[in-house]
Amino acid sequence: MTTTVGQYLSARLGQIGLKHHFAVAGDFNLILLDELLAEGSTKQIYSCNELNCGYSAEGYGRANGAAAMVVTFSVGALSAMNAIGSAYAENVPVIIVSGAPNTNDHGTGHLLHHTLGNTNYGYQAEMMRHITCAAEVIFSAEHAPQQIDNAIRTALRERKPAYIEIPCNLANAACAAPGPVSSLLSEPAADPASLDAALEETGRFLYARDKVVLLVGSRMRASGVIDLLPALADRMGCAVTVMAAAKGFFPEDHPAYRGVYWGEVSSPGAQELVESADGILCLGPIFNDYATVGWRATLKPENTLLADLHGITVNGRVFEGFSIRQYLEALSARAPRRAGSAETPRQPLPTIAPAPRDARLTNDEMTRQINTLIDGNTTLTAETGDSWFNAVRMDLPGGAKVESEMQWGSIGWSVPAALGGALGAPDRRHVLMVGDGSFQLTAQEVAQMVRYELPIIIFLVNNHGYVIEIKIHDGPYNYIKNWDYAGLIAAFNAEDGHGLGLRATTAGELAGAIEQAKANTRGPTLIECDLDRSDCTETLVKWGTKVAAANGRAPKVN
Ligand code: DPX
């Protein structure tokens, strides 16, 4: 039984649970795209450019566990690299497939279009190796199945992107047909001795502590066991905090929830709770400069148990040979009750009083109104900028999800990522908060939301510049050309779209626009929220000052 290389790939993508793949056409991938369409396990979704294609796949992978995208050689793939860097940094398994030169052109001295103008065509794979966990360059149909499987399996296990390069004359070449998918999806069994030793050491750590707190980090998204956390918290009886990048990873209406731990810009009470605890179970954290508020919020190693995707560090020892899923599943059945921290009650978030309808729109009022829109079935995507801080200060119902990109932090990510998220989780409401500066990078992807009739509600925060940068370090480079953001939607609709572009300058206009957005089910609604440039969250100002100080440290002189 045979198939073609392209159809083999297509079948595998369907078998791992994808319903869509993202693509931008180019002559090195056209036959591959034909093969994907012919096999038909996944629907082909088109992007305006390869950067957006990558971010869309990254957003889809967050919602759906994995994603795939197809680009053309060099001009496509090199554009996609920023997004693949994002998938790497944020632990999202995105399979990036690039069309490539005909096998007969390798090693012949033939000079090809879309290349650097020299005759070694291996450079793209070399570059991709740095930002993927597996990079497979296919040179024969015979070996393609194993190479495709290796890339997909590695991506799913490592929770990182993987690269597959398919020459344009091999996409429809015959190869063996795919068998059952089990080996790609199955997790290697845990090493029982190591897991048992890790649990014993965890027990020793926990029994020796009076005040234990769970601290949930953003790498838990990749663990696939976020849903296990409430049961673990119930068993241990302790308080739970989340890091800013993991906002929404623990139900905020759960009695154990105590808010976001983010050093000096934590939710009320969360900093004292975490920093006074003598046992902090850090689950999938990323302690970078932003998360530590410029290296100020660093936890004492002797007080922490660090559980990462493939092992734990506790009491000065490293245990590996199991996944965080296997560890947390076992811990949920064995963890001792450690209720000390639960005695500290949750401190309420500052409330924002509703503004009069004719009052000038403020950042507070905008955030208050967006917060009321979010129900337990909403995914809120928050772009880099003050949108992070606005998302973090929201009071969310259980079931609400937040997506942000705090490790990679590439502005423009959120527009395509929200599109991918909406395709990956079509039954949820999708809300996006994006600043004007970020929007200008990837704005054209709203046209694809129109095309695919995705009812994403976009809050375009027009605060007239790169406000987070203004707070970190001001200069003329932080001021941007204003656009008629709401007016763009008419252009994107053209003759057949159902997008809606609205503008709010008062509290009442915003409330009216949100009602219109809820009723618009056949396309995106972009609500341009006009704010003063000086109007931002207090936490951004406080955090920005500390991060600026960390950036500004003088070089060490020996
Ligand atoms: C930059 C950032 O308007 O949001 O809330 O006004 O800050 P705020 P905007 O979207 O502005 C974003 C801007 C310019 N960062 O303040 S965060 C530097 C940067 C980056 N990514 C890329 N280029 C530059 N983060 C791709």
Side-chain angles (χ1 to χ4, degrees):
M1 214 174 128
T2 61
T3 185
T4 65
V5 171
Q7 295 203 24
Y8 185 98
L9 170 69
S10 181
R12 283 305 201 206
L13 296 181
Q15 284 177 316
I16 64 165
L18 305 195
K19 296 193 170 53
H20 307 84
H21 64 270
F22 297 86
V24 180
D27 63 352
F28 286 124
N29 72 21
L30 297 177
I31 294 171
L32 175 60
L33 294 179
D34 288 343
E35 294 296 305
L36 288 162
L37 287 171
E39 198 279 336
S41 289
T42 58
K43 189 173 172 205
Q44 208 158 77
I45 301 292
Y46 306 108
S47 310
C48 292
N49 61 51
E50 288 80 358
L51 175 65
N52 295 358
C53 187
Y55 286 146
S56 293
E58 202 258 25
Y60 186 89
R62 288 167 179 249
N64 196 57
M69 60 186 284
V70 183
V71 295
T72 196
F73 197 66
S74 289
V75 291
L78 268 63
S79 272
M81 282 188 185
N82 185 339
I84 298 305
S86 174
Y88 195 98
E90 303 282 332
N91 295 287
V92 185
V94 172
I95 315 296
I96 173 166
V97 187
S98 176
N102 185 300
T103 50
N104 297 302
D105 288 320
H106 287 266
T108 56
H110 290 174
L111 210 54
L112 294 171
H113 70 286
H114 286 351
T115 72
L116 296 176
N118 53 37
T119 56
N120 174 357
Y121 303 126
Y123 61 88
Q124 182 172 300
E126 284 312 310
M127 294 162 100
M128 285 288 183
R129 273 183 224 291
H130 294 278
I131 52 172
T132 56
C133 63
E136 293 286 355
V137 181
I138 292 173
F139 275 116
S140 81
E142 185 193 347
H143 296 110
Q146 290 81 2
Q147 290 183 278
I148 290 170
D149 282 1
N150 183 53
I152 295 176
R153 183 188 306 108
T154 311
L156 294 180
R157 287 192 182 164
E158 301 290 325
R159 317 305 295 169
K160 296 281 186 198
Y163 174 68
I164 303 173
E165 188 172 302
I166 304 183
C168 55
N169 60 335
L170 289 184
N172 60 358
C175 69
V181 75
S182 54
S183 84
L184 297 187
L185 293 173
S186 65
E187 193 172 65
D191 169 17
S194 181
L195 180 57
D196 213 49
L199 290 163
E200 265 177 39
E201 197 68 52
T202 303
R204 273 193 286 279
F205 174 84
L206 290 173
Y207 277 115
R209 316 283 151 165
D210 293 323
K211 212 170 146 197
V212 173
V213 176
L214 290 183
L215 176 63
V216 182
S218 59
R219 278 157 72 83
M220 281 302 289
R221 181 190 295 105
S223 74
V225 285
I226 288 180
D227 294 349
L228 213 68
L229 297 175
L232 178 62
D234 289 342
R235 181 177 173 102
M236 294 181 65
C238 62
V240 180
T241 53
V242 301
M243 296 181 72
K247 170 82 176 172
F249 283 21
F250 190 83
E252 298 194 358
D253 53 1
H254 189 284
Y257 184 66
R258 295 291 182 280
V260 174
Y261 172 67
W262 197 357
E264 290 144 273
V265 292
S266 297
S267 312
Q271 183 181 21
E272 297 70 28
L273 180 70
V274 171
E275 293 179 3
S276 69
D278 58 358
I280 309 160
L281 251 63
C282 304
L283 307 177
I286 296 184
F287 292 118
N288 64 15
D289 51 345
Y290 277 11
T292 59
V293 196
W295 308 119
R296 296 163 66 88
T298 47
L299 303 174
K300 291 195 189 103
E302 63 274 22
N303 285 348
T304 61
L305 180 154
L306 184 69
D308 212 345
L309 295 181
H310 302 291
I312 69 161
T313 305
V314 58
N315 289 341
R317 295 180 71 197
V318 173
F319 300 84
E320 42 89 49
F322 47 85
S323 71
I324 194 167
R325 166 199 289 275
Q326 290 157 340
Y327 172 72
L328 289 180
E329 277 171 355
L331 187 65
S332 294
R334 284 171 60 166
R337 194 157 179 84
R338 274 288 171 270
S341 61
E343 287 158 16
T344 311
R346 182 179 177 191
Q347 291 186 25
L349 291 167
T351 49
I352 304 170
R357 285 188 70 80
D358 57 356
R360 167 93 176 90
L361 186 62
T362 61
N363 185 47
D364 277 353
E365 175 61 14
M366 177 191 74
T367 305
R368 188 193 69 77
Q369 290 198 28
I370 299 173
N371 203 157
T372 58
L373 174 68
I374 294 170
D375 63 14
N377 192 39
T378 300
T379 300
L380 171 68
T381 299
E383 177 64 88
T384 300
D386 204 20
S387 297
W388 279 351
F389 296 85
N390 279 328
V392 161
R393 67 176 168 148
M394 283 188 192
D395 196 0
L396 299 180
K401 291 187 178 171
V402 178
E403 296 295 349
S404 63
E405 197 215 25
M406 287 196 183
Q407 174 57 33
W408 190 244
S410 187
I411 58 172
W413 159 83
S414 69
V415 178
L419 180 154
L423 284 166
D427 298 332
R428 294 180 69 83
R429 169 180 282 163
H430 293 272
V431 174
L432 164 62
M433 279 193 299
V434 54
D436 48 340
S438 302
F439 186 76
Q440 290 196 1
L441 275 84
T442 52
Q444 68 280 72
E445 219 54 18
V446 175
Q448 305 295 0
M449 297 178 185
V450 173
R451 176 181 192 170
Y452 295 108
E453 300 194 351
L454 299 171
I456 300 167
I457 304 179
I458 304 168
F459 291 92
L460 186 297
V461 187
N462 190 357
N463 56 10
H464 306 275
Y466 295 157
V467 169
I468 194 174
E469 299 286 322
I470 292 171
K471 297 298 169 194
I472 293 176
H473 183 104
D474 202 5
Y477 32 74
N478 290 329
Y479 300 86
I480 61 177
K481 169 77 184 78
N482 193 36
W483 290 6
D484 175 4
Y485 297 98
L488 285 176
I489 304 299
F492 291 148
N493 278 340
E495 60 287 342
D496 56 359
H498 303 281
L500 202 56
L502 304 167
R503 196 148 182 276
T505 54
T506 64
E509 282 172 4
L510 180 58
I514 290 176
E515 287 315 307
Q516 280 183 267
K518 285 201 239 172
N520 180 26
T521 53
R522 286 196 63 192
T525 301
L526 183 148
I527 306 174
E528 180 182 345
C529 301
D530 188 73
L531 303 182
D532 279 343
R533 187 178 291 136
S534 57
D535 187 6
C536 63
T537 59
E538 278 172 32
T539 40
L540 165 63
V541 179
K542 201 167 164 187
W543 174 91
T545 317
K546 313 293 180 198
V547 169
N551 282 350
R553 284 165 301 160
K556 274 194 184 133
V557 185
N558 292 324

PDB file of all heavy atoms in Angstrom, residues 501-528:
ATOM      1  N   GLY A 501     -16.230  47.729  12.406  1.00  0.00           N
ATOM      2  CA  GLY A 501     -15.226  48.600  13.006  1.00  0.00           C
ATOM      3  C   GLY A 501     -15.920  49.717  13.774  1.00  0.00           C
ATOM      4  O   GLY A 501     -16.728  50.449  13.199  1.00  0.00           O
ATOM      5  N   LEU A 502     -15.634  49.843  15.071  1.00  0.00           N
ATOM      6  CA  LEU A 502     -16.327  50.825  15.916  1.00  0.00           C
ATOM      7  C   LEU A 502     -15.280  51.612  16.697  1.00  0.00           C
ATOM      8  O   LEU A 502     -14.157  51.139  16.899  1.00  0.00           O
ATOM      9  CB  LEU A 502     -17.269  50.108  16.888  1.00  0.00           C
ATOM     10  CG  LEU A 502     -18.311  49.178  16.240  1.00  0.00           C
ATOM     11  CD1 LEU A 502     -18.957  48.300  17.304  1.00  0.00           C
ATOM     12  CD2 LEU A 502     -19.365  49.990  15.497  1.00  0.00           C
ATOM     13  N   ARG A 503     -15.696  52.783  17.166  1.00  0.00           N
ATOM     14  CA  ARG A 503     -14.755  53.622  17.881  1.00  0.00           C
ATOM     15  C   ARG A 503     -15.404  54.082  19.167  1.00  0.00           C
ATOM     16  O   ARG A 503     -16.582  54.457  19.169  1.00  0.00           O
ATOM     17  CB  ARG A 503     -14.437  54.826  16.996  1.00  0.00           C
ATOM     18  CG  ARG A 503     -13.229  55.570  17.413  1.00  0.00           C
ATOM     19  CD  ARG A 503     -12.518  56.172  16.204  1.00  0.00           C
ATOM     20  NE  ARG A 503     -11.330  56.830  16.700  1.00  0.00           N
ATOM     21  CZ  ARG A 503     -11.334  58.054  17.174  1.00  0.00           C
ATOM     22  NH1 ARG A 503     -12.437  58.764  17.216  1.00  0.00           N
ATOM     23  NH2 ARG A 503     -10.211  58.581  17.633  1.00  0.00           N
ATOM     24  N   ALA A 504     -14.689  54.036  20.282  1.00  0.00           N
ATOM     25  CA  ALA A 504     -15.251  54.461  21.566  1.00  0.00           C
ATOM     26  C   ALA A 504     -14.354  55.512  22.188  1.00  0.00           C
ATOM     27  O   ALA A 504     -13.158  55.268  22.418  1.00  0.00           O
ATOM     28  CB  ALA A 504     -15.383  53.262  22.500  1.00  0.00           C
ATOM     29  N   THR A 505     -14.948  56.676  22.458  1.00  0.00           N
ATOM     30  CA  THR A 505     -14.189  57.726  23.150  1.00  0.00           C
ATOM     31  C   THR A 505     -14.788  58.002  24.537  1.00  0.00           C
ATOM     32  O   THR A 505     -14.204  58.722  25.323  1.00  0.00           O
ATOM     33  CB  THR A 505     -14.189  59.048  22.342  1.00  0.00           C
ATOM     34  OG1 THR A 505     -15.541  59.393  22.068  1.00  0.00           O
ATOM     35  CG2 THR A 505     -13.443  58.912  21.040  1.00  0.00           C
ATOM     36  N   THR A 506     -15.992  57.434  24.787  1.00  0.00           N
ATOM     37  CA  THR A 506     -16.615  57.589  26.109  1.00  0.00           C
ATOM     38  C   THR A 506     -16.991  56.210  26.638  1.00  0.00           C
ATOM     39  O   THR A 506     -17.045  55.232  25.869  1.00  0.00           O
ATOM     40  CB  THR A 506     -17.914  58.421  26.029  1.00  0.00           C
ATOM     41  OG1 THR A 506     -18.867  57.684  25.233  1.00  0.00           O
ATOM     42  CG2 THR A 506     -17.688  59.794  25.419  1.00  0.00           C
ATOM     43  N   ALA A 507     -17.298  56.184  27.938  1.00  0.00           N
ATOM     44  CA  ALA A 507     -17.699  54.918  28.568  1.00  0.00           C
ATOM     45  C   ALA A 507     -18.966  54.379  27.903  1.00  0.00           C
ATOM     46  O   ALA A 507     -19.077  53.174  27.630  1.00  0.00           O
ATOM     47  CB  ALA A 507     -17.937  55.152  30.057  1.00  0.00           C
ATOM     48  N   GLY A 508     -19.924  55.267  27.607  1.00  0.00           N
ATOM     49  CA  GLY A 508     -21.185  54.844  27.002  1.00  0.00           C
ATOM     50  C   GLY A 508     -20.975  54.289  25.598  1.00  0.00           C
ATOM     51  O   GLY A 508     -21.587  53.280  25.222  1.00  0.00           O
ATOM     52  N   GLU A 509     -20.089  54.914  24.831  1.00  0.00           N
ATOM     53  CA  GLU A 509     -19.823  54.411  23.472  1.00  0.00           C
ATOM     54  C   GLU A 509     -19.211  53.007  23.532  1.00  0.00           C
ATOM     55  O   GLU A 509     -19.521  52.147  22.717  1.00  0.00           O
ATOM     56  CB  GLU A 509     -18.871  55.364  22.740  1.00  0.00           C
ATOM     57  CG  GLU A 509     -19.557  56.612  22.218  1.00  0.00           C
ATOM     58  CD  GLU A 509     -18.586  57.663  21.661  1.00  0.00           C
ATOM     59  OE1 GLU A 509     -17.359  57.398  21.595  1.00  0.00           O
ATOM     60  OE2 GLU A 509     -19.065  58.754  21.322  1.00  0.00           O
ATOM     61  N   LEU A 510     -18.360  52.807  24.516  1.00  0.00           N
ATOM     62  CA  LEU A 510     -17.754  51.470  24.626  1.00  0.00           C
ATOM     63  C   LEU A 510     -18.818  50.439  24.979  1.00  0.00           C
ATOM     64  O   LEU A 510     -18.864  49.351  24.384  1.00  0.00           O
ATOM     65  CB  LEU A 510     -16.629  51.467  25.675  1.00  0.00           C
ATOM     66  CG  LEU A 510     -15.934  50.115  25.849  1.00  0.00           C
ATOM     67  CD1 LEU A 510     -15.338  49.619  24.538  1.00  0.00           C
ATOM     68  CD2 LEU A 510     -14.836  50.188  26.918  1.00  0.00           C
ATOM     69  N   ALA A 511     -19.678  50.760  25.924  1.00  0.00           N
ATOM     70  CA  ALA A 511     -20.732  49.806  26.312  1.00  0.00           C
ATOM     71  C   ALA A 511     -21.610  49.472  25.098  1.00  0.00           C
ATOM     72  O   ALA A 511     -21.938  48.297  24.850  1.00  0.00           O
ATOM     73  CB  ALA A 511     -21.571  50.394  27.443  1.00  0.00           C
ATOM     74  N   GLY A 512     -21.963  50.492  24.312  1.00  0.00           N
ATOM     75  CA  GLY A 512     -22.781  50.260  23.116  1.00  0.00           C
ATOM     76  C   GLY A 512     -22.033  49.402  22.096  1.00  0.00           C
ATOM     77  O   GLY A 512     -22.617  48.499  21.475  1.00  0.00           O
ATOM     78  N   ALA A 513     -20.747  49.684  21.933  1.00  0.00           N
ATOM     79  CA  ALA A 513     -19.954  48.925  20.956  1.00  0.00           C
ATOM     80  C   ALA A 513     -19.863  47.453  21.360  1.00  0.00           C
ATOM     81  O   ALA A 513     -19.927  46.554  20.507  1.00  0.00           O
ATOM     82  CB  ALA A 513     -18.560  49.540  20.855  1.00  0.00           C
ATOM     83  N   ILE A 514     -19.728  47.198  22.666  1.00  0.00           N
ATOM     84  CA  ILE A 514     -19.633  45.796  23.124  1.00  0.00           C
ATOM     85  C   ILE A 514     -20.943  45.063  22.812  1.00  0.00           C
ATOM     86  O   ILE A 514     -20.931  43.906  22.383  1.00  0.00           O
ATOM     87  CB  ILE A 514     -19.254  45.737  24.625  1.00  0.00           C
ATOM     88  CG1 ILE A 514     -17.799  46.192  24.814  1.00  0.00           C
ATOM     89  CG2 ILE A 514     -19.460  44.338  25.192  1.00  0.00           C
ATOM     90  CD1 ILE A 514     -17.317  46.278  26.254  1.00  0.00           C
ATOM     91  N   GLU A 515     -22.059  45.732  22.985  1.00  0.00           N
ATOM     92  CA  GLU A 515     -23.351  45.095  22.652  1.00  0.00           C
ATOM     93  C   GLU A 515     -23.401  44.767  21.160  1.00  0.00           C
ATOM     94  O   GLU A 515     -23.840  43.690  20.762  1.00  0.00           O
ATOM     95  CB  GLU A 515     -24.524  46.001  23.057  1.00  0.00           C
ATOM     96  CG  GLU A 515     -24.764  46.062  24.565  1.00  0.00           C
ATOM     97  CD  GLU A 515     -24.719  44.685  25.247  1.00  0.00           C
ATOM     98  OE1 GLU A 515     -25.454  43.768  24.792  1.00  0.00           O
ATOM     99  OE2 GLU A 515     -23.961  44.513  26.219  1.00  0.00           O
ATOM    100  N   GLN A 516     -22.937  45.687  20.315  1.00  0.00           N
ATOM    101  CA  GLN A 516     -22.934  45.430  18.874  1.00  0.00           C
ATOM    102  C   GLN A 516     -21.999  44.261  18.537  1.00  0.00           C
ATOM    103  O   GLN A 516     -22.302  43.442  17.679  1.00  0.00           O
ATOM    104  CB  GLN A 516     -22.480  46.677  18.114  1.00  0.00           C
ATOM    105  CG  GLN A 516     -23.563  47.715  17.938  1.00  0.00           C
ATOM    106  CD  GLN A 516     -23.024  48.889  17.111  1.00  0.00           C
ATOM    107  OE1 GLN A 516     -22.535  49.860  17.670  1.00  0.00           O
ATOM    108  NE2 GLN A 516     -23.107  48.796  15.804  1.00  0.00           N
ATOM    109  N   ALA A 517     -20.871  44.220  19.235  1.00  0.00           N
ATOM    110  CA  ALA A 517     -19.895  43.146  18.984  1.00  0.00           C
ATOM    111  C   ALA A 517     -20.503  41.789  19.323  1.00  0.00           C
ATOM    112  O   ALA A 517     -20.334  40.816  18.586  1.00  0.00           O
ATOM    113  CB  ALA A 517     -18.647  43.384  19.821  1.00  0.00           C
ATOM    114  N   LYS A 518     -21.244  41.730  20.419  1.00  0.00           N
ATOM    115  CA  LYS A 518     -21.839  40.443  20.833  1.00  0.00           C
ATOM    116  C   LYS A 518     -22.836  39.954  19.783  1.00  0.00           C
ATOM    117  O   LYS A 518     -23.017  38.754  19.589  1.00  0.00           O
ATOM    118  CB  LYS A 518     -22.529  40.606  22.184  1.00  0.00           C
ATOM    119  CG  LYS A 518     -21.549  40.685  23.353  1.00  0.00           C
ATOM    120  CD  LYS A 518     -22.267  40.335  24.640  1.00  0.00           C
ATOM    121  CE  LYS A 518     -22.213  41.427  25.645  1.00  0.00           C
ATOM    122  NZ  LYS A 518     -22.985  41.300  26.826  1.00  0.00           N
ATOM    123  N   ALA A 519     -23.486  40.914  19.125  1.00  0.00           N
ATOM    124  CA  ALA A 519     -24.511  40.533  18.141  1.00  0.00           C
ATOM    125  C   ALA A 519     -23.901  40.195  16.779  1.00  0.00           C
ATOM    126  O   ALA A 519     -24.575  39.617  15.922  1.00  0.00           O
ATOM    127  CB  ALA A 519     -25.514  41.681  17.999  1.00  0.00           C
ATOM    128  N   ASN A 520     -22.639  40.559  16.573  1.00  0.00           N
ATOM    129  CA  ASN A 520     -22.014  40.323  15.264  1.00  0.00           C
ATOM    130  C   ASN A 520     -21.345  38.953  15.244  1.00  0.00           C
ATOM    131  O   ASN A 520     -20.198  38.804  15.654  1.00  0.00           O
ATOM    132  CB  ASN A 520     -20.988  41.425  14.974  1.00  0.00           C
ATOM    133  CG  ASN A 520     -20.325  41.220  13.620  1.00  0.00           C
ATOM    134  OD1 ASN A 520     -20.907  40.615  12.719  1.00  0.00           O
ATOM    135  ND2 ASN A 520     -19.110  41.726  13.487  1.00  0.00           N
ATOM    136  N   THR A 521     -22.051  37.953  14.774  1.00  0.00           N
ATOM    137  CA  THR A 521     -21.534  36.585  14.857  1.00  0.00           C
ATOM    138  C   THR A 521     -20.875  36.118  13.554  1.00  0.00           C
ATOM    139  O   THR A 521     -20.366  35.014  13.483  1.00  0.00           O
ATOM    140  CB  THR A 521     -22.684  35.606  15.200  1.00  0.00           C
ATOM    141  OG1 THR A 521     -23.730  35.817  14.239  1.00  0.00           O
ATOM    142  CG2 THR A 521     -23.212  35.845  16.606  1.00  0.00           C
ATOM    143  N   ARG A 522     -20.877  36.961  12.520  1.00  0.00           N
ATOM    144  CA  ARG A 522     -20.335  36.495  11.238  1.00  0.00           C
ATOM    145  C   ARG A 522     -18.984  37.114  10.890  1.00  0.00           C
ATOM    146  O   ARG A 522     -18.541  37.045   9.737  1.00  0.00           O
ATOM    147  CB  ARG A 522     -21.345  36.769  10.120  1.00  0.00           C
ATOM    148  CG  ARG A 522     -22.524  35.804  10.185  1.00  0.00           C
ATOM    149  CD  ARG A 522     -23.293  35.822   8.900  1.00  0.00           C
ATOM    150  NE  ARG A 522     -22.523  35.381   7.750  1.00  0.00           N
ATOM    151  CZ  ARG A 522     -22.919  35.523   6.495  1.00  0.00           C
ATOM    152  NH1 ARG A 522     -24.075  36.107   6.235  1.00  0.00           N
ATOM    153  NH2 ARG A 522     -22.181  35.092   5.492  1.00  0.00           N
ATOM    154  N   GLY A 523     -18.336  37.714  11.862  1.00  0.00           N
ATOM    155  CA  GLY A 523     -17.029  38.289  11.565  1.00  0.00           C
ATOM    156  C   GLY A 523     -16.480  38.988  12.786  1.00  0.00           C
ATOM    157  O   GLY A 523     -17.157  39.099  13.817  1.00  0.00           O
ATOM    158  N   PRO A 524     -15.245  39.488  12.687  1.00  0.00           N
ATOM    159  CA  PRO A 524     -14.650  40.169  13.840  1.00  0.00           C
ATOM    160  C   PRO A 524     -15.269  41.537  14.061  1.00  0.00           C
ATOM    161  O   PRO A 524     -15.776  42.159  13.134  1.00  0.00           O
ATOM    162  CB  PRO A 524     -13.185  40.325  13.418  1.00  0.00           C
ATOM    163  CG  PRO A 524     -13.228  40.400  11.922  1.00  0.00           C
ATOM    164  CD  PRO A 524     -14.361  39.505  11.506  1.00  0.00           C
ATOM    165  N   THR A 525     -15.217  41.993  15.306  1.00  0.00           N
ATOM    166  CA  THR A 525     -15.578  43.375  15.614  1.00  0.00           C
ATOM    167  C   THR A 525     -14.357  44.023  16.240  1.00  0.00           C
ATOM    168  O   THR A 525     -13.829  43.520  17.245  1.00  0.00           O
ATOM    169  CB  THR A 525     -16.760  43.439  16.595  1.00  0.00           C
ATOM    170  OG1 THR A 525     -17.866  42.755  15.996  1.00  0.00           O
ATOM    171  CG2 THR A 525     -17.155  44.884  16.879  1.00  0.00           C
ATOM    172  N   LEU A 526     -13.892  45.086  15.623  1.00  0.00           N
ATOM    173  CA  LEU A 526     -12.750  45.818  16.184  1.00  0.00           C
ATOM    174  C   LEU A 526     -13.290  47.074  16.848  1.00  0.00           C
ATOM    175  O   LEU A 526     -13.961  47.884  16.198  1.00  0.00           O
ATOM    176  CB  LEU A 526     -11.751  46.172  15.088  1.00  0.00           C
ATOM    177  CG  LEU A 526     -10.470  46.888  15.558  1.00  0.00           C
ATOM    178  CD1 LEU A 526      -9.287  46.522  14.671  1.00  0.00           C
ATOM    179  CD2 LEU A 526     -10.626  48.406  15.609  1.00  0.00           C
ATOM    180  N   ILE A 527     -13.035  47.205  18.158  1.00  0.00           N
ATOM    181  CA  ILE A 527     -13.465  48.399  18.884  1.00  0.00           C
ATOM    182  C   ILE A 527     -12.218  49.206  19.224  1.00  0.00           C
ATOM    183  O   ILE A 527     -11.386  48.773  20.041  1.00  0.00           O
ATOM    184  CB  ILE A 527     -14.236  48.029  20.173  1.00  0.00           C
ATOM    185  CG1 ILE A 527     -15.407  47.079  19.845  1.00  0.00           C
ATOM    186  CG2 ILE A 527     -14.727  49.298  20.870  1.00  0.00           C
ATOM    187  CD1 ILE A 527     -16.140  46.545  21.069  1.00  0.00           C
ATOM    188  N   GLU A 528     -12.078  50.323  18.553  1.00  0.00           N
ATOM    189  CA  GLU A 528     -10.925  51.187  18.823  1.00  0.00           C
ATOM    190  C   GLU A 528     -11.225  52.001  20.079  1.00  0.00           C
ATOM    191  O   GLU A 528     -12.159  52.800  20.104  1.00  0.00           O
ATOM    192  CB  GLU A 528     -10.680  52.111  17.621  1.00  0.00           C
ATOM    193  CG  GLU A 528      -9.509  53.038  17.836  1.00  0.00           C
ATOM    194  CD  GLU A 528      -9.276  53.993  16.658  1.00  0.00           C
ATOM    195  OE1 GLU A 528      -9.827  53.773  15.559  1.00  0.00           O
ATOM    196  OE2 GLU A 528      -8.554  54.979  16.869  1.00  0.00           O
TER     197      GLU A 528
END
